[in-house]
Structure formats: C-alpha cells, structure tokens
Amino acid sequence: MKIDIEHFGLKDVPVDPETVFTFADGVAGFVDCKRFKVFHEEGKPTVFWLQSLDDPSVMFPIVAPETLDLEYQIELADTDCALLGLERAEDAVVVVIVYRDEAEGGKIAANTRSPIILNPINRRAMQKVLQEVHPTLLYRAR
C-alpha cells in the first residue's frame, strides 16, 4: 500500500503495516477515519504524525506528554481495555495532539482533555475523552 502525504508534498509513500493503528471509533470530529499511519520526520523524533489512510487531508501532530512536562494517570474502563485489546497497563502508550493556538499568538498547545491511547502490540488505538481532569502543578527551579 502507498499513500500521498499532502502536508509534506510526498507522493506514493510506502506504508509498512507495522506503522498503522486502527481506531475502532475514529477520532473526534473524524469518525470515518479509522486507520492511521504513525511516522516522524527524519531528524525530528519528538514529534510524530498520525496520517489518516482513509482521508489524506487528515493528519495530526502528536507528542508524548512528557515532552510537554505533562504526566497522565488515566483510568481505562474495561470496555476501553477490550477495545484496545490491552492486557497490561504498561503496554499502553499515551500521546497528545498538539496544535498552534492562534488566539495565544501562535503558541504550541496540546489537547490534554482527549489523549490518544495506543497499543503498539496489536496496533489498536483510541482517543480517550476525559470527563474530569485534575491538574497537578509541577514546580521546576532554574
């Protein structure tokens, strides 16, 4: 399988099945987009991209929360674990979608209320919409 990655002007990019995650319920606002290729630009291993295989115009930049000094403790329901085929909590990988917040002068922001949960063992994924978020402040001295 090959895809075009419009954002980078790339044509006929080979898709390794080991880099494709399936979102049974799609992603918020894009419920018909169920298959996503995960990749990163060469030389930029901290920002990954979720490229839809179902709609080439849909792509999200994602990062590990730790990159932004965020720490998540997420409780997954049994139905979430079943959807992900998750047998052990340590197998889950949590990432957040980042975006440029034009209202804040173009600063980089993250969708912290709807992290993406990936199971790299079976390549199933979901977007977990958190009903309650209890922030913890982290102070760093410099």
Side-chain angles (χ1 to χ4, degrees), residues 2-137:
K2 294 185 178 186
I3 62 168
D4 296 339
I5 302 176
E6 294 176 2
H7 182 80
F8 295 110
L10 301 173
K11 300 278 188 200
D12 295 325
V13 176
V15 176
D16 177 356
E18 296 297 314
T19 65
V20 176
F21 283 83
T22 301
F23 288 72
D25 297 330
V27 177
F30 303 92
V31 294
D32 293 332
C33 294
K34 308 229 184 251
R35 299 173 307 137
F36 286 83
K37 174 182 174 44
V38 176
F39 71 96
H40 67 84
E41 292 177 81
E42 197 167 317
K44 298 181 182 181
T46 56
V47 177
F48 283 76
W49 297 88
L50 276 178
Q51 170 66 59
S52 172
L53 299 180
D54 301 311
D55 181 346
S57 68
V58 176
M59 185 170 71
F60 304 103
I62 56 173
V63 298
E66 303 81 42
T67 305
L68 305 172
D69 287 331
L70 298 172
E71 182 180 318
Y72 273 100
Q73 292 181 357
I74 300 171
E75 286 186 35
L76 295 176
D78 290 342
T79 55
D80 296 333
C81 290
L83 182 76
L84 291 166
L86 196 60
E87 295 180 12
R88 302 176 323 157
E90 57 269 19
D91 292 338
V93 174
V94 178
V95 296
V96 293
I97 295 173
V98 292
Y99 59 94
R100 192 167 301 280
D101 189 345
E102 298 305 330
E104 292 291 325
K107 291 182 180 176
I108 300 297
N111 180 350
T112 56
R113 291 194 175 269
S114 301
I116 303 288
I117 315 294
L118 304 169
N119 182 345
I121 294 171
N122 62 16
R123 295 178 310 282
R124 292 187 199 169
M126 70 177 292
Q127 186 173 30
K128 178 70 174 172
V129 178
L130 303 175
Q131 300 303 316
E132 294 183 35
V133 177
H134 302 285
T136 300
L137 295 177

